[in-house]
Amino acid sequence: MLGRKLRRDLWHMRGQVVTIALVLAVGVAALISITGTYRSLGAARDEFYAANDFPDLFVHLERAPDAVASRLAAIPGVASVDVRLVEPVTFLIPGMVRPASGQAISLPGGDHPSMHTLVLVRGRPPEAGRTDDALVLARFADAHGLEPGDTLTVVIAGKQLRLRIAGIVMSPEWVFPVDAAGSFSPAAVGVMWLPRAALDAAAGKHGAFDDATFRLAPGASTAAVIEAIDRELARWGGLGAHDRDQQPSHRVVSSELAGLEVMGSRVPAIFLAVAAFLLYVVLGRMVQLQREQIAVLRALGFTRGEIGRHILATAAVIVVGGGAIGVALGAWLGDALIALYREFFQFPGLRFRLQVDLVVAALAVCAAATAVGAGVAAWRAARMLPAEAMRPPAPAHYRRGILSRLGLARLAGPLGRMVVRELERRPIAAGVTVLGIAFAAAVIVVGRFSTDALDDLLDVQMMGTSRYDVGVTLARPVPRGELAWFRDAPGVLDAEPLRVVPARLVAGARHRDVPLTGIPAGARLRRVLDGAGHPVAVPPRGVMLSALLADRLGVGVGDVLRIERRDGDHGVHALEVTALVDDRLGLNAYVDLDALAALLGEEPVMSMVLLTVDPAARDRLIAALGRVPAVVGVVETAAVRDTFLAQSGKSMTMMTLIVSIFGGIIAIGVIYNTARVALSERARSLVTLRVLGYTRREVATVLLGQLAAQVAVAAPLGLGLGWVLVDAMMRTANPEDYRFAIVVAPATYGFATLLITGAALATALVVRRKLDRIDLIAALDARD
Amino acid sequence: MGAPVLTARGLEKVYGEGATAVRALDGVDFDLERGEILVLLGPSGSGKSTLLNVLGGLDAPTGGTVRYLDHDLSRDDDDALTRYRREHVGFVFQFYNLVPSLTARENVALVGDLVDKPMPPEEALGMVGLGGRLDHFPSQMSGGEQQRVAIARAIAKRPDLLLCDEPTGALDAKTGRLVLEALVEVNRRLGTSVAVITHNAVIADMGDRVVQMKDGRIAETRHNARRRPPAELDW
């Protein structure tokens, strides 16, 4: 019979049951989908790396005889070494204004090339003995519609070669092909693999290698091995070995995943915590409403245990139902999110993995919240003396609280007084509701924050620092006098030199590989901005470091850094830190262009030229730059921004959407249940008002006034809470690539407020309808 | 006694349909005279509460007519019934139905917002003998006191009708008498027509007229030659 009561109760309270189950489902789904997506990406990356022997260390050098390979292999801690040729290559693709550039890499294994580092997507491996079979990176091939069997014309070391595409491949070293300026541009950066013999011939480097990769033995010291490699290769023009952190593709992968981490692990945890909290509150109140029924059951002879189990069974139905919806919704959203990321990361075997531990954790948290919330209320109810049910309900205790004493109640008239007294009677319950609504608002703020921060980063920082249209990377530094040629090139409005020197910055035992960026005095096109977006001048002498870099190196203004050049003469210099700047993008070391030349003991030169361009002449300029052999890279700022947005924007929009919807559901869940419980608790008073002759609208004022008061307090509180959560979240994020400012756009506050108000209004309408339909006579307990 | 304030003719109220239909009121003809105290007697299920609810505009009849003076209530919609209750009717219920978050004075003041010339709460509470408990909350008062607050609240808008459903049902005899005395006092001083529902036959002696109900019909109507003051009643 209790089972039947259970079913009927659930049906009777379906509005509450459904909204509570949805709040729970949202908490579970957020954890499973968002954190699950983040983890699935990490797992797919790790599998890709492991299956295709992604190296631990990398080094590029001028040229060393093959015999040196065995010496490298003998370094303690090195498990294996692959030596190879990596040569600059120009792809002559019909229809491209400017030829794509990139790298040609030799396959290991002599006449029988090994593909252990590659995944064959389409086509076949190169035939043994053939020298014109090439493998092409899938991203590049897809960008240009290249297929196995197509011919490909390339220029390597000044020689034009006609190759046949044997296969399309993926490589863990080239998940994100980046150009000379470090930008991800799949169409402009080509990578291909050739049998060693073919590349030997083209590059004219028989019996020598100019690049090596290493796998470390378990437990090997990365720093010690790097040092040994650098020592070994010093006489062969080694450019300094580095680990995965400096590998361009891995850097992008890591920073993308790091960017997801905040969203992926913190936000769902906040969601789940909020959902669990609400579950606790709402279930407790729901049981509270059943006090009288519980007392009747007790009077009939049911034991406390039986009643307790009955109530927990009600809660269990909600947990199981909400949990099931949550898992299903989470898996479905996870699939959708992964589909968005698949195109971006292109890890083979990337799929959404339903993480059992997440499911268990989410359900356990919800079950615990439910058990405690419903359990405490059930225990209280079961403790009640059965006789209480037999008596008319005693009037609840009210007193004059602070608000009344302030005269607020007098001001508001009897109906307003009812609102004020109700809030005063149970300040904790009212406070908990306010907190619940505030959390819903906070979650929405948190959800939209990433978009705000991204916008800020793009608009204020990226666009503010890089005010040029086209960045031209030169093969080697040229005298600054050449700037005149660029000024005269078609469509160029302004041109500015830039000098980038690969270097290792050493301070005592600490070091960082950060290039020195030489900026001319009074630069207009490449500026340095502080955290607030104000331009900062590069000091005329010494180096200005990103504050974070100074922190990482443990130096301050006045300290002297040891600068080890990683190109040219590999000279060692000393440079004083003369300023710090709290910039937001990457770790940087800025030096005045002339001071840099003086430091290196060279004539003023430039390695990059920054241009502003008349848009009408853009194509002519790009074509003209393509004909200059010294130009190895051309980057358009707008394209970088678009790529950046395409990369992060799409997935972030999706995440924001999900989080907003979830926040809305939570808001509705809290507000609806609060109003619903208030309606049940106060039905008698409200009906009495109706009997006295108050109109429906007047009576609704009492109930909805209370709700409105709570929402009015909760909304600003929630916005503040959102800011606090965002701040706490960002403190734990890895800041080396981007340092997001805690920027919450007014629109986000507006959006959160709107959503909460909307939820409140929707609830108010439903409750008003219920209020209108209350059976006056039944509610009055009229008996005959 | 003057002309009837309330007139019901052929009043029917049927709950449900077909075989399971319950006829709560089955052709009731009923008048409430101006200024009288009328006692409605009957066992549970006889239809007296249903009749009171229809007369008070809390419920609509399924058949017949009910008129307040010359106004036909049976055709009124919810808004019109609300207006009728607001302007003309005072209710007293078995379980008081006070608003727990308001003091005695404020509960009475509630109705002050509804009509043009309400009685000051102090006066209404004084009339029911509660002049000294103005600022107590319901939870601080006894059942009898709460019921008298309910009466004060009902009369503060100077209603033409006072409809009381088992006003002493939840009270012991002593406090019950105090409540009934308050009703008589209101009737005497304001000339309010009072209808009292009860299943307690002793109370019938305080009325001018006694209507006995059974199975949704009026079984008997009798006039009392003399109203007995509540103080003389005992049960």
Side-chain angles (χ1 to χ4, degrees):
Chain A
M1 200 46 67
L2 276 186
R4 188 173 299 169
K5 174 178 176 320
L6 177 66
R7 281 196 299 280
R8 299 227 174 110
D9 283 351
L10 286 172
W11 175 246
H12 180 65
M13 303 182 296
R14 59 194 177 277
Q16 281 171 281
V17 168
V18 168
T19 47
I20 297 172
L22 280 181
V23 167
L24 189 155
V26 157
V28 171
L31 189 73
I32 289 179
S33 64
I34 302 179
T35 306
T37 294
Y38 171 63
R39 290 217 211 149
S40 297
L41 286 169
R45 176 196 64 182
D46 292 345
E47 281 171 16
F48 185 31
Y49 280 7
N52 296 284
D53 297 330
F54 184 55
D56 295 312
L57 300 178
F58 309 79
V59 66
H60 198 71
L61 53 145
E62 292 287 328
R63 180 178 180 160
D66 282 343
V68 174
S70 56
R71 298 175 60 110
L72 292 174
I75 292 174
V78 171
S80 67
V81 56
D82 272 338
V83 297
R84 58 189 184 177
L85 291 174
V86 176
E87 306 302 321
V89 57
T90 304
F91 294 84
L92 303 175
I93 307 277
M96 271 188 96
V97 179
R98 187 178 162 270
S101 56
Q103 313 211 284
I105 302 169
S106 67
L107 288 165
D111 279 349
H112 297 277
S114 160
M115 293 189 43
H116 71 99
T117 63
L118 304 174
V119 173
L120 187 64
V121 181
R122 300 191 287 280
R124 54 169 180 79
E127 271 173 40
R130 281 191 72 137
T131 56
D132 62 345
D133 267 2
L135 300 172
V136 176
L137 187 68
R139 280 195 198 267
F140 185 71
D142 292 344
H144 296 288
L146 301 174
E147 289 297 332
D150 290 353
T151 55
L152 188 63
T153 309
V154 300
V155 179
I156 298 175
K159 296 191 200 84
Q160 188 160 323
L161 304 178
R162 268 177 74 84
L163 301 171
R164 189 175 57 155
I165 299 177
I168 308 294
V169 296
M170 292 197 279
S171 157
E173 278 189 76
W174 298 96
V175 176
F176 293 103
V178 296
D179 61 20
S183 303
F184 166 49
S185 36
V189 180
V191 184
M192 65 175 202
W193 286 262
L194 292 172
R196 172 75 190 259
L199 200 51
D200 275 354
K205 291 186 177 173
H206 289 284
F209 66 94
D210 59 12
D211 197 272
T213 62
F214 303 81
R215 303 275 295 171
L216 290 177
S221 154
T222 305
V225 175
I226 286 178
E227 217 183 308
I229 294 169
D230 285 353
R231 240 188 345 262
E232 200 62 61
L233 293 179
R235 53 184 293 224
W236 307 109
L239 294 181
H242 59 82
D243 60 9
R244 288 179 177 180
D245 288 348
Q246 315 263 338
Q247 205 271 337
S249 165
H250 180 79
R251 270 185 76 94
V252 180
V253 170
S254 297
S255 89
E256 286 296 331
L257 286 181
L260 270 179
E261 193 196 351
V262 171
M263 197 67 158
S265 60
R266 319 261 196 292
V267 173
I270 292 173
F271 257 78
L272 189 61
V274 170
F277 171 70
L278 296 180
L279 211 57
Y280 165 80
V281 171
V282 170
L283 270 179
R285 291 198 184 163
M286 217 165 86
V287 175
Q288 197 76 18
L289 281 184
Q290 300 224 321
R291 273 169 68 101
E292 283 168 35
Q293 284 190 44
I294 290 165
V296 172
L297 292 176
R298 291 268 295 123
L300 291 176
F302 285 99
T303 65
R304 285 176 189 172
E306 283 166 335
I307 291 170
R309 277 195 295 281
H310 169 63
I311 289 170
L312 286 180
T314 315
V317 168
I318 298 179
V319 171
V320 171
I325 297 173
V327 172
L329 182 66
W332 179 76
L333 280 176
D335 269 337
L337 281 170
I338 285 292
L340 275 181
Y341 283 115
R342 187 172 291 128
E343 186 192 340
F344 180 48
F345 283 103
Q346 297 196 349
F347 296 133
L350 174 57
R351 64 194 160 75
F352 180 71
R353 294 158 217 234
L354 194 60
Q355 321 261 326
V356 176
D357 64 323
L358 288 182
V359 174
V360 170
L363 292 183
V365 168
C366 290
T370 306
V372 175
V376 167
W379 181 72
R380 271 200 210 130
R383 220 177 31 164
M384 191 164 63
L385 290 174
E388 285 180 32
M390 305 295 119
R391 280 201 293 268
H397 285 271
Y398 286 86
R399 58 197 169 75
R400 284 194 184 74
I402 179 89
L403 295 177
S404 304
R405 289 199 207 105
L406 284 174
L408 203 68
R410 192 177 308 277
L411 204 73
L415 297 184
R417 221 168 287 160
M418 286 177 72
V419 172
V420 172
R421 295 259 166 81
E422 185 62 26
L423 296 174
E424 282 176 344
R425 181 168 78 95
R426 299 199 305 186
I428 295 177
V432 163
T433 301
V434 165
L435 205 60
I437 301 171
F439 265 120
V443 161
I444 298 166
V445 171
V446 168
R448 284 186 52 106
F449 158 71
S450 338
T451 315
D452 290 346
L454 188 67
D455 284 348
D456 175 69
L457 198 68
L458 277 180
D459 293 341
V460 179
Q461 294 294 326
M462 209 175 268
M463 295 297 114
T465 53
S466 308
R467 302 208 297 174
Y468 51 91
D469 300 319
V470 176
V472 180
T473 306
L474 305 171
R476 55 185 54 80
V478 301
R480 279 173 65 177
E482 299 289 334
L483 205 56
W485 182 89
F486 288 97
R487 288 217 166 91
D488 293 339
V492 171
L493 304 173
D494 196 1
E496 208 171 84
L498 196 73
R499 172 83 165 109
V500 179
V501 182
R504 171 166 293 179
L505 278 48
V506 186
R510 304 191 197 182
H511 70 264
R512 282 275 165 166
D513 289 322
V514 173
L516 295 177
T517 305
I519 297 179
R524 300 169 302 274
L525 305 186
R526 170 69 174 91
R527 302 189 303 173
V528 181
L529 299 183
D530 65 13
H534 302 306
V536 175
V538 177
R541 51 171 279 275
V543 61
M544 176 164 74
L545 298 181
S546 298
L548 187 67
L549 175 58
D551 182 61
R552 294 281 193 260
L553 289 171
V555 297
V557 172
D559 291 333
V560 176
L561 287 176
R562 179 184 151 95
I563 309 289
E564 299 174 6
R565 258 188 97 167
R566 312 245 96 191
D567 69 347
D569 65 359
H570 289 244
V572 175
H573 308 271
L575 196 54
E576 186 188 341
V577 178
T578 47
L580 299 181
V581 59
D582 179 26
D583 57 359
R584 299 255 196 82
L585 290 170
L587 299 181
N588 302 291
Y590 306 101
V591 186
D592 179 80
L593 193 60
D594 294 328
L596 183 58
L599 177 79
L600 302 179
E602 59 188 23
E603 289 300 304
V605 292
M606 58 188 186
S607 56
M608 278 191 78
V609 183
L610 312 177
L611 308 172
T612 50
V613 178
D614 175 4
R618 178 250 173 210
D619 283 359
R620 276 196 297 143
L621 173 69
I622 300 293
L625 290 173
R627 289 190 293 273
V628 180
V631 170
V632 293
V634 173
V635 175
E636 293 179 77
T637 314
V640 172
R641 189 181 199 277
D642 291 347
T643 313
F644 189 81
L645 276 181
Q647 277 172 38
S648 309
K650 199 156 63 167
S651 47
M652 220 167 243
T653 306
M654 174 88 168
M655 289 274 195
T656 305
L657 186 70
I658 292 175
V659 169
S660 304
I661 291 175
F662 283 8
I665 289 177
I666 288 184
I668 289 178
V670 185
I671 297 174
Y672 177 75
N673 279 286
T674 303
R676 197 64 194 76
V677 168
L679 177 62
S680 306
E681 282 177 346
R682 314 188 66 194
R684 277 176 73 89
S685 288
L686 300 175
V687 164
T688 300
L689 293 178
R690 290 275 288 127
V691 169
L692 288 177
Y694 278 94
T695 61
R696 288 175 170 157
R697 178 204 291 269
E698 286 163 337
V699 171
T701 323
V702 175
L703 196 62
L704 302 181
Q706 186 181 335
L707 191 65
Q710 285 171 322
V711 170
V713 175
L717 188 68
L719 301 185
L721 201 59
W723 197 92
V724 170
L725 287 180
V726 163
D727 186 54
M729 215 167 73
M730 293 318 293
R731 276 176 203 286
T732 57
N734 174 20
E736 292 208 2
D737 291 307
Y738 319 118
R739 291 175 286 287
F740 283 111
I742 312 293
V743 184
V744 180
T748 291
Y749 286 136
F751 180 75
T753 309
L754 209 66
L755 210 59
I756 295 293
T757 313
L761 283 178
T763 300
L765 281 177
V766 173
V767 171
R768 170 77 204 267
R769 228 161 54 105
K770 281 203 184 291
L771 194 59
D772 286 352
R773 287 206 201 139
I774 279 191
D775 183 344
L776 292 189
I777 293 154
L780 280 173
D781 263 341
R783 295 169 200 180
D784 192 14
Chain B
M1 301 297 144
V5 203
L6 277 175
T7 317
R9 290 294 174 264
L11 209 54
E12 288 182 2
K13 179 69 186 183
V14 182
Y15 293 106
E17 286 177 1
T20 60
V22 175
R23 302 186 74 83
L25 293 179
D26 192 4
V28 171
D29 293 338
F30 173 91
D31 293 320
L32 181 63
E33 309 286 343
R34 185 179 294 280
E36 74 170 337
I37 294 183
L38 179 135
V39 178
L40 262 171
L41 272 180
S44 288
S46 60
K48 49 189 199 302
S49 283
T50 307
L51 177 59
L52 198 77
N53 290 336
V54 171
L55 296 177
L58 288 177
D59 205 350
T62 40
T65 58
V66 52
R67 305 178 75 83
Y68 169 75
L69 299 177
D70 56 355
H71 179 80
D72 190 352
L73 295 177
S74 32
R75 294 191 187 172
D76 277 354
D77 61 6
D78 184 79
D79 286 344
L81 286 177
T82 299
R83 211 157 45 238
Y84 163 65
R85 289 199 302 269
R86 188 174 188 138
E87 289 165 7
H88 305 293
V89 189
F91 283 100
V92 176
F93 296 99
Q94 180 176 2
F95 295 123
Y96 334 133
N97 291 83
L98 297 181
V99 176
S101 57
L102 299 179
T103 63
R105 190 204 306 262
E106 290 163 351
N107 259 286
V108 176
L110 256 186
V111 299
D113 289 0
L114 296 175
V115 291
D116 286 341
K117 290 178 191 153
M119 191 183 292
E122 297 75 13
E123 185 186 336
L125 284 164
M127 204 179 284
V128 297
L130 284 177
R133 314 220 63 182
L134 293 172
D135 292 321
H136 287 68
F137 282 100
S139 58
Q140 298 165 326
M141 290 189 281
S142 72
E145 288 172 329
Q146 288 185 53
Q147 189 62 298
R148 282 185 283 155
V149 175
I151 294 172
R153 184 178 67 185
I155 61 171
K157 61 183 173 188
R158 305 180 198 274
D160 301 298
L161 309 169
L162 191 55
L163 305 180
C164 312
D165 193 347
E166 298 278 10
T168 60
L171 304 173
D172 60 61
K174 194 170 158 231
T175 41
R177 276 193 292 275
L178 287 175
V179 166
L180 294 179
E181 275 170 0
L183 291 178
V184 172
E185 180 71 5
V186 168
N187 171 260
R188 188 181 66 79
R189 286 178 47 182
L190 303 178
T192 311
S193 311
V194 179
V196 178
I197 283 187
T198 180
H199 60 270
N200 184 347
V202 177
I203 291 175
D205 291 348
M206 70 175 272
D208 295 297
R209 255 191 328 145
V210 182
V211 171
Q212 181 87 41
M213 285 197 74
K214 195 181 174 192
D215 297 335
R217 295 165 180 271
I218 293 181
E220 184 199 337
T221 304
R222 70 166 199 267
H223 286 266
N224 286 330
R226 182 181 93 86
R227 295 200 319 211
R228 287 179 69 194
E232 293 176 18
L233 305 176
D234 198 11
W235 64 87

